[in-house]
Amino acid sequence: MIQVENLSKSFTLHNQGGTVIPVMEGAAFDVAAGECVGLIGASGAGKSTLMRMLYGNYLAASGHVRIGGVDVATAEPREILALRRETLGYVSQFLRVVPRVSTLDVVAEPLLRTGHALDAAQARARELLARLNIPERLWGLSPTTFSGGEQQRVNIARGFAYDYPALLLDEPTASLDATNREVVLTLIEDAKARGAAIVGIFHDEAARDRVCDRVIDAAAFTPGMAA
Amino acid sequence: MTPLLQVEGVAKFYGARVGCTDVSFDLYPGEVMGIVGESGSGKSTLLNCLAGHLTPDAGAVRFDTKTDGLRDTVTMREPERRMLGRTDWAFVHQHARDGLRMNVSAGGNVGERLMAVGARHYGSIRDTATDWLGRVEINADRIDDRPTAFSGGMQQRLQIARNLVTGPRLVFMDEPTGGLDVSVQARLLDLLRGLVREMGLSAIIVTHDLAVVRLLADRLMVMKDGHVVETGLTDQVLDDPQHAYTQLLVSSVLQV
Ligand SMILES: Nc1ncnc2c1ncn2[C@@H]1O[C@H](COP(=O)(O)OP(=O)(O)O)[C@@H](O)[C@H]1O
Ligand SMILES: Nc1ncnc2c1ncn2[C@@H]1O[C@H](COP(=O)(O)OP(=O)(O)O)[C@@H](O)[C@H]1O
Ligand SMILES: [Mg+2]
Ligand SMILES: [Mg+2]
């Protein structure tokens, strides 16, 4: 489902003397449907950068990222947006909130823009918000004023509302209590069971051991650090 | 898929001074493109060339017309271009007074546009106008008031209603939130975002405000000194800018 080939990345800081920071070289791996792969490596190894390149948020310097028939590394903006709508989900570490949109609508949106009926989309959104223990009195409010933990759970609900064939998860269990952590791990297991290909970053080792079928060490792709 | 707008090698000079030059891109149906850059970078010049308000000195601006497919609006006859301006395009100005008739009621401002495309039945024109005032969050009891009695934010919302009431296929916006208070901007942006999604509009939005494009635009074009220096998916250009100028632009705002 996800095929990464010879992927490289460096940052050029034009306004800091043109400093070039090479962060990745020759990254290559595949993720099959129903499989969860964990990215590991020390802080700064390039885990988040790799995940952002898979999503098209960072531009690859060279190489390929093939997901659902699209090469994210070279695709046009509209092709990447269609891929993100239909195929590729991303639960980032922080919820980017749009002012004045209610929590229920934030969570239902991925379903509405893929043509699901309003009733069904909202029912699914309610189910997820309830499972993630967001109090019902908050559902009509914008998540702008929610606590960090609440925002993260809204973000997770949104990421799992639509059944994406491929999912990227950046620390989905960080700072969750035991109950909600368990809910998220179950959501991940369910997604795998329905055939989703997942790439995740988990600092929580027990969580990683439970849901990941294998791990990939990003340090193997860090220039100057490869074995 | 045929692009809705195909821009090729557009240039406009003011004497020896460059307005904009060497601009090419395709805009597809349903796409929202943001044009960002500092003041004087050529954004308005380009937008006016695309919307037929200025004649480019070079290049082609092909629009996918309903009847004849892609046609160069630069070389088409003036009456034809004006007709497209009424039926297929909309233009939202930064200053509402440039896009509204200030001595005509709110309802009249919206109704006038319907009449310009052939609506004749008074009752249904008024109903549509009332409906549109509601959609831009203006109370129905303000329908007979003139825009001069409105706040800046309301005037801008009225201008949007006037422009969208005829169901255009392509909307040009020049700094639509410029000059408004931040809280008023947020409401306007949210409204625009909803309308763009609901109506599946294609739009080109000129702004110097990166938060505006983060919220509204699918893709970005960055301009400097009349030239396009970078293009790409909006979040990619903002989070991983490639060009020195874009990096400067992004790093000089706190957080978008
Ligand atoms: N937008 C950026 N601009 C410049 N450098 C960046 C950017 N994003 C990440 N980096 C650099 O890339 C390297 C890898 O970072 P990151 O992917 O966040 O690592 P990890 O997630 O493994 O901790 C770091 O040196 C970091 O400073
Ligand atoms: N009517 C005009 N006559 C002469 N120069 C103009 C005129 N309009 C714009 N310019 C010049 O063209 C350049 C681009 O201006 P403009 O398109 O208004 O930029 P922006 O909208 O990005 O602020 C600037 O150098 C500006 O001074
Ligand atoms: Mg990280
Ligand atoms: Mg301007």
Side-chain angles (χ1 to χ4, degrees):
Chain A
M1 185 67 212
I2 300 174
Q3 288 165 294
V4 178
E5 250 174 69
N6 198 22
L7 195 63
S8 302
K9 175 72 183 165
S10 61
F11 293 101
T12 305
L13 311 179
H14 290 289
N15 301 301
Q16 293 177 56
T19 307
V20 177
I21 310 172
V23 290
M24 193 157 297
E25 212 173 85
F29 61 92
D30 291 352
V31 186
E35 191 182 28
C36 179
V37 168
L39 295 179
I40 59 167
S43 170
K47 303 180 292 297
S48 296
T49 297
L50 178 54
M51 192 165 275
R52 284 166 176 263
M53 279 196 282
L54 299 188
Y55 198 57
N57 175 239
Y58 279 3
L59 194 66
S62 63
H64 304 283
V65 176
R66 294 185 221 281
I67 303 176
V70 174
D71 183 356
V72 177
T74 57
E76 293 292 323
R78 67 177 190 287
E79 296 171 308
I80 296 180
L81 290 173
L83 184 78
R84 289 179 179 180
R85 192 166 52 237
E86 310 281 340
T87 308
L88 180 63
Y90 175 40
V91 177
S92 60
Q93 280 181 278
F94 302 99
L95 176 67
R96 195 181 277 284
V97 281
V98 175
R100 300 214 310 166
V101 179
S102 77
T103 296
L104 192 68
D105 289 347
V106 166
V107 176
E109 204 220 343
L111 288 165
L112 292 176
R113 61 179 185 188
T114 43
H116 293 76
L118 184 67
D119 288 357
Q122 291 193 338
R124 172 75 175 147
R126 278 194 209 94
E127 176 207 325
L128 281 163
L129 288 168
R131 271 179 83 177
L132 286 153
N133 302 295
I134 302 288
E136 191 167 350
R137 65 188 156 76
L138 298 181
W139 297 358
L141 305 177
S142 156
T144 331
T145 56
F146 291 6
S147 73
E150 285 165 347
Q151 289 195 0
Q152 195 194 353
R153 281 178 278 142
V154 172
N155 210 17
I156 289 165
R158 179 181 160 87
F160 282 91
Y162 170 79
D163 288 339
Y164 293 105
L167 256 181
L168 309 172
L169 309 172
D170 198 345
E171 302 232 27
T173 57
S175 76
L176 294 185
D177 58 40
T179 313
N180 286 307
R181 175 179 173 277
E182 183 57 35
V183 175
V184 173
L185 293 178
T186 307
L187 283 170
I188 296 171
E189 286 166 345
D190 292 349
K192 285 174 65 179
R194 66 163 171 79
I198 302 176
V199 178
I201 300 172
F202 300 91
H203 283 177
D204 172 352
E205 258 180 70
R208 188 198 303 149
D209 290 345
R210 180 165 146 194
V211 296
C212 293
D213 299 290
R214 59 198 166 93
V215 295
I216 289 169
D217 189 348
F221 314 129
T222 310
M225 281 182 69
Chain B
M1 203 190 335
T2 310
L4 184 64
L5 192 73
Q6 195 172 55
V7 178
E8 207 180 301
V10 164
K12 175 74 189 173
F13 299 91
Y14 300 103
R17 177 181 291 168
V18 176
C20 65
T21 187
D22 206 16
V23 181
S24 301
F25 66 90
D26 289 345
L27 185 80
Y28 285 83
E31 268 190 318
V32 178
M33 186 172 88
I35 304 179
V36 297
E38 68 200 28
S39 172
S41 57
K43 306 183 297 295
S44 295
T45 298
L46 173 61
L47 196 71
N48 283 301
C49 286
L50 304 182
H53 298 169
L54 279 176
T55 308
D57 295 314
V61 179
R62 295 183 202 96
F63 180 74
D64 186 20
T65 62
K66 280 177 210 149
T67 44
D68 305 310
L70 284 172
R71 297 273 318 278
D72 187 357
T73 66
V74 176
T75 53
M76 82 174 38
R77 290 180 313 116
E78 176 66 17
E80 240 185 312
R81 194 166 46 235
R82 288 174 71 121
M83 195 57 191
L84 278 179
R86 279 204 293 272
T87 56
D88 287 53
W89 304 339
F91 198 103
V92 176
H93 295 264
Q94 172 176 0
H95 301 290
R97 62 172 180 273
D98 296 330
L100 289 175
R101 294 231 286 150
M102 298 306 278
N103 55 345
V104 169
S105 71
N109 262 285
V110 179
E112 196 177 63
R113 289 295 293 248
L114 287 168
M115 277 150 69
V117 294
R120 285 293 170 264
H121 185 265
Y122 177 79
S124 72
I125 290 173
R126 193 168 166 95
D127 287 350
T128 307
T130 309
D131 176 48
W132 265 93
L133 291 183
R135 290 176 76 167
V136 298
E137 302 171 7
I138 295 175
N139 257 329
D141 64 7
R142 304 299 301 267
I143 191 166
D144 295 317
D145 292 352
R146 290 182 183 185
T148 42
F150 289 178
S151 68
M154 271 175 84
Q155 287 183 3
Q156 203 55 304
R157 297 203 301 277
L158 179 62
Q159 194 194 178
I160 287 162
R162 177 178 158 94
N163 270 284
L164 298 189
V165 67
T166 49
R169 297 160 70 209
L170 176 57
V171 184
F172 301 99
M173 300 188 221
D174 196 353
E175 306 271 4
T177 62
L180 297 175
D181 290 343
V182 177
S183 62
V184 177
Q185 279 190 20
R187 181 174 184 190
L188 189 72
L189 278 177
D190 185 39
L191 185 88
L192 273 174
R193 185 171 171 275
L195 289 171
V196 163
R197 299 268 161 98
E198 248 171 64
M199 301 174 72
L201 289 175
S202 308
I204 301 180
I205 302 178
V206 158
T207 179
H208 64 274
D209 187 341
L210 299 184
V212 169
V213 286
R214 172 79 84 176
L215 214 58
L216 289 179
D218 299 322
R219 50 190 276 226
L220 278 192
M221 196 158 94
V222 184
M223 291 188 73
K224 180 182 191 315
D225 301 331
H227 295 262
V228 176
V229 297
E230 182 162 357
T231 62
L233 190 66
T234 299
D235 61 270
Q236 184 261 297
V237 172
L238 295 180
D239 294 340
D240 186 19
Q242 305 294 305
H243 191 276
Y245 175 70
T246 318
Q247 291 185 357
L248 197 64
L249 206 63
V250 169
S251 65
S252 40
V253 288
L254 287 176
Q255 207 214 354
V256 289

